[in-house]
Amino acid sequence: MKSGKLLHFKNLKQYRDEINATIDTNYFSMALKYMKDGFAERFKQFKTNKSTFAFIVNPLNTNTNEINIEPFGIDAGSLQMQLLDLKTKDLWIGKFTELKSKLEDLEIQKCMHIAQHKWTALKEIPRVEALIFGAWNRLPECYSEVKKLAYGVLTIFGSTYSCEQALSCMNIIKSKVRSQLTNKNLESCLKLKTTSYKPDLIKLSKGMQSQ
């Protein structure tokens, strides 16, 4: 931007070339700087807790001293002992090695679809969180503290938009004309509204008919 070549701003470059306009690159440079600083401030905790977030994908090579376990109510001693035991089990080592390989393949697929502008295909590839949860769900309960930490990290989100979105959905569902909706039914409606999972309605309806 500062050089004035606008290599990464094609629309702005096209506008400048078409009408021979003078672009105040200093203005746009400052706007980009403020945006960058804003993002850095907003998400600085992600950088600080890098080791904690890396744990969910690569728990076997994570230094427990660098993990922030305080928000999750984890017993540090039990966590260390369970991790030590986990590292001796070839079965679980293989599971997390397989997970890492699948995630790498997933990123390659994403890059290919994006490069080819295959947006529909991009939506159809497996979800990252589904693969990660799948690996952790297979872990037995004898690794309870390890799983507790993983699930705690997986439920973190970077902003309040999820809560705000859920509240907006709740206000739409429980309107003035549906004020008698029970909390249980409201909870069910919210789950249907906010979840990304799609129920097999045909299978469910057939099950109801057979009853």
Side-chain angles (χ1 to χ4, degrees):
M1 176 61 74
K2 288 183 178 180
S3 67
K5 295 180 180 179
L6 305 179
L7 297 177
H8 304 289
F9 303 90
K10 293 182 179 180
N11 291 335
L12 189 59
K13 184 177 184 298
Q14 182 181 355
Y15 167 77
R16 183 193 64 183
D17 295 343
E18 285 179 354
I19 66 172
N20 197 26
T22 301
I23 303 297
D24 186 356
T25 55
N26 184 59
Y27 168 80
F28 285 104
S29 295
M30 291 301 296
L32 289 170
K33 182 182 182 301
Y34 290 142
M35 188 183 299
K36 179 184 176 182
D37 292 344
F39 273 103
E41 177 64 25
R42 187 178 183 88
F43 298 105
K44 64 181 179 181
Q45 285 188 327
F46 283 91
K47 191 173 183 179
T48 305
N49 294 292
K50 186 177 180 180
S51 296
T52 306
F53 295 123
F55 174 82
I56 59 174
V57 176
N58 195 15
L60 303 174
N61 295 321
T62 305
N63 186 348
T64 54
N65 294 323
E66 297 177 355
I67 299 175
N68 181 15
I69 64 173
E70 186 178 351
F72 309 109
I74 305 293
D75 181 76
S78 298
L79 176 66
Q80 289 183 356
M81 292 302 294
Q82 290 177 16
L83 274 174
L84 286 172
D85 184 71
L86 187 65
K87 291 177 181 179
T88 64
K89 301 295 191 296
D90 291 339
L91 174 63
W92 304 118
I93 291 173
K95 287 292 182 184
F96 285 105
T97 302
E98 181 185 2
L99 171 63
K100 189 176 180 181
S101 177
K102 286 181 178 179
L103 292 175
E104 288 174 355
D105 291 340
L106 203 63
E107 286 303 313
I108 292 172
Q109 289 182 48
K110 284 183 180 179
C111 290
M112 290 176 61
H113 291 327
I114 291 171
Q116 298 170 10
H117 303 286
K118 294 182 178 179
W119 310 118
T120 303
L122 190 64
K123 293 179 181 178
E124 294 174 353
I125 63 176
R127 297 172 66 91
V128 171
E129 58 268 32
L131 293 176
I132 297 174
F133 269 113
W136 282 102
N137 285 338
R138 292 188 182 95
L139 210 63
E141 287 304 315
C142 60
Y143 300 108
S144 58
E145 293 300 296
V146 179
K147 293 182 71 172
K148 186 178 180 181
L149 174 58
Y151 291 146
V153 174
L154 284 165
T155 55
I156 294 174
F157 46 88
S159 71
T160 59
Y161 85 93
S162 295
C163 297
E164 293 167 1
Q165 184 184 48
L167 284 171
S168 297
C169 292
M170 184 184 71
N171 290 332
I172 293 171
I173 294 169
K174 194 167 184 177
S175 61
K176 291 181 180 179
V177 296
R178 303 178 74 187
S179 59
Q180 299 302 312
L181 197 65
T182 64
N183 289 338
K184 184 178 180 181
N185 287 338
L186 176 61
E187 182 181 351
S188 298
C189 290
L190 270 174
K191 286 180 180 178
L192 289 171
K193 179 67 176 177
T194 57
T195 185
S196 59
Y197 295 100
K198 296 181 180 179
D200 189 339
L201 297 177
I202 296 176
K203 185 177 180 180
L204 289 172
S205 62
K206 286 182 178 178
M208 294 295 292
Q209 289 172 3
S210 63
Q211 293 177 9

